[in-house]
Each structure stands twice: as C-alpha cells, then as structure tokens.
Amino acid sequence: MSLLTPLLRSGAVTDLFTDEQVVQGMLEFEAALARAQAQCEVIPATAVTPIVDACHFQNIDFPSLAVAGANAGNLAIPLVKQLTLAVKTQSPDAARYVHWGATSQDAIDSGLVLQLRAALTQTQSDLSSLIAILAQQTERHRATLMPGRTWMQHALPITFGLKLAGTLDALLRWQERLTQMRKRVLVLQFGGAAGTLASLKEKGPQVAEELAKILKLGLADTPWHSQRDRLLEVGAWYAGLCGTLAKFANDFSLLMQTEVAEVSEPIIEGRGGSSAMPHKRNPVGCAAILTAAQRTPGLMATLYASQIQQHERALGGWQAEWEVLPELISLVGGVMAQSNTIVRGMQVNPHKMRANLDITHGLIMAESVTLALAAFVGKADAHHQIEKCCHQAIDQQRPLLALLQNDPQIAQYLSAAELAQLLDPATALGSSDHFVRQVLARYKEQCHEHSLPD
C-alpha cells in the first residue's frame, strides 16, 4: 500500500524500516560479530575483512531471500547462506566463520535494535521540533479567549494558549520517557542456539561484551530471546504519543466544524478539498492522525499477546512482531509529521472564539455570578436563583445580564456594574495564565536538560 505512505506514514522514520534497512541491520550484526570474535581470538583475524566487505545489502538477492525465507521461517537463515557464498568468492577459509556461534534470532533481533536506535534518534529530533513549534503557539495565544467545553458543551472561558499548553505538557512528559527508555531497550541480543552461548565455550561473555561495544549497544544481563518487554515498551511509547496527538487532532477537527469555525488547518494547495463541493476545507491532517490512532490499539494488542512466548525460543509470537512494530512506529512517525504541519501553520480565529463565547447570551458566566451571590445567601440558594434566571434566559431568548439586573433578590446584593464585570469572560480565567507559564517554564528547562545522543 505504498500509495498511502505519503498520507499515513510521512515521517522520516518510515525510511528506516525498508527491506534494505532490515537486511543491512542483520548484516551489521554479522560484520560486528566477526570483528568481536577475532578480537577475542575465537576466529582468525584474516577472516574479518572478507566477511565485513561482504556485509552490504547490495550483495543480497532480495527476491531469492524472500522465497527462501518463506521456507526457512525467517530471513536470517537464507541471508546467512547468501552472505557465506559472497564471502566464499573472496576467501573460502573466511566463509567458514560467517555467523560463528550465533543463531538466527540474534541477527534478527540485534538488527531490529539497530533500526530502533535510528528510529528513536529520529523521533527525538522530530518530537523536539514539534514541541518547539507548539511552545511558540502556546505563548502566542496565552490571552486568546475561547469557550471551554465539557461534555461537548460550553463550560467556562479558557484561553487557546491553555488548551495548547495541555498538549505541550503531555509531549514534554513523552520526551522525558523517551530519554529514559533508550538505555533499557537499546541492548544487544546474543545468546546462541538456546541462550547459553555454549558454542563459544568460556569465550561467550567476552565476545558478547566486545560485540556490544562495537555495535554501541547495551549488554543485557541475559539473552532476551523470549522476553519481549523491551519491544512492548517501545510500542507502548509510540502508541501513547499517538494517543496524545490524536486527542489534539480530535479537538482541532471539532473546532474546525462550520458552526464553530475557531481554527483551521493550514491553507496548502490541493489540501482539504472535496471532489464534489468546492467550498470544503476538510481537516485532512487530523483525519490522517485519527486514522493512525484507530489502528494503534490493534497493533499494540499484537505486541502484548506476543509476550507469551514458549520456553527459550518461540514460534508465532516472535514472528508476529516483525511487521507490527515497524508499522506502528511508521504510523506514529506520520502522526508527528502531520501534527507538525498543523501546529506550524494553523489558522486561529480569535474573533470567532469571542463571538462563540456570547452565543449563550452570558450563560457561560453563570458560575461566576453564583459564587459572588453565594457570599451573601449561601451556595445552594445562589445556585437555585441563578439557575432559574438561566432557564428564563433560554426560554425567553434574552441576555442573562438583563434578567439578573431585574431580579430583586440578586440586585440587592450585586450592582449592575458588578454583574457586568462578573459576566465578562476575561475576568473568569482563574489560574489559566499561571498554568501556561508553568508549562512554558518547564519547556525551557527541558530544552537545557535534553540533547540528542551521539
């Protein structure tokens, strides 16, 4: 379905999970294995160069690899055969030491970890860029009044900056989790046939340590052939990030409805049009984000089910991860790219936001009057009195202010000027700006704390 890749998987991480990258990851493991074993005097030093020189995906026949992989049950077995033949053309003696002491899962898992390292690094960069743009928009709209909405209805006034700050706050937490996660998940897989490295005898730990050093990966305390929590954690991180950005996209698309019209996606040639209705400006970026969010739970369910693996090496659960995790990461990479486009170029209509605050003729500010009146008559009586006025305002289609001013039980405590001030949305923002300032301060602090790894 490559035709849909620009819509659903437009992030840079997609290019890290091509067939070529999958194969190259395994070949990098094989090249590093030869170097490590020669360093530990397990194989002759003369075998290293022929093996390393052959470890390039251009030397592999991909159609033959695919066919043979179907019969072998994985790609590593026929890949090692092709690699061995390629080495043999240069050095028959070196060919004897290809894949020495390793098992197919060592090559596949370690190759995947190398891809994950590149993906996490790219994701850190993409997330930092998105966070920076969102912080700018949050600052820009700190004082932009709009209706807050609960249960899909007007609640109390908020600022658009506060709404954006909620997303920014969550993204800063995902950034923290990403940094913490790298050390746990970017570890070598090297255990041999049954996770004991028995074929390397007493040299097993030494080779493993050297191999991890060459690949610049962490060294696990035990091989993790059938312990898949690391991959589950990676998937859960991407799924969680997708959830945060999908919540943003869902809210944004609701604010784009014709009757609301408070925001809009960027105006880009050919974007958001309809084949039938020339007036349409559809939230296509939001749709792409929400499409990924619809698929994420199913992909995560597969990763979760794959935790149940049999004994020391599994069948079924391990293989189910091969396409699922890259697909999940690619989809969320697309979500980040779409979010970046929306946040960077979003159109905000403060005048429509202000007008929408007035469509209930002041009802959105009823709580402010209730609290002010409660100081004189108590919360229950105040609530009852203001609620009665609200119902009259709805039934008679009159401004709430006029009804409040003409109510003798209210007028004896609150003057017309006081009521007008209480019904002004700008006076009822509470701690909105305080919360926005806290998030922006945390953003600036985190900018200094986190930098991309080497």
Side-chain angles (χ1 to χ4, degrees), residues 71 82 104 162 184 195 222 247 256 276 295 415-416 429 454:
N71 292 323
Q82 286 199 33
S104 56
L162 179 62
R184 287 192 296 270
T222 64
K247 185 266 191 291
M256 278 187 67
R295 295 184 60 189
S415 68
L429 293 174
D454 294 334

Side-chain angles (χ1 to χ4, degrees), residues 131 135-136 138-139 142 165 168-169 172 175-176 433-450:
I131 285 173
Q136 292 174 10
T138 299
E139 178 66 49
R142 280 175 62 173
L168 176 59
D169 193 26
L172 290 171
Q175 188 178 58
E176 283 280 311
D433 195 60
H434 171 73
F435 295 142
V436 173
R437 282 188 281 108
Q438 285 191 142
V439 175
L440 290 174
R442 179 60 187 147
Y443 158 68
K444 293 174 183 177
E445 178 184 346
Q446 207 154 299
C447 282
H448 295 293
E449 289 179 355
H450 298 281

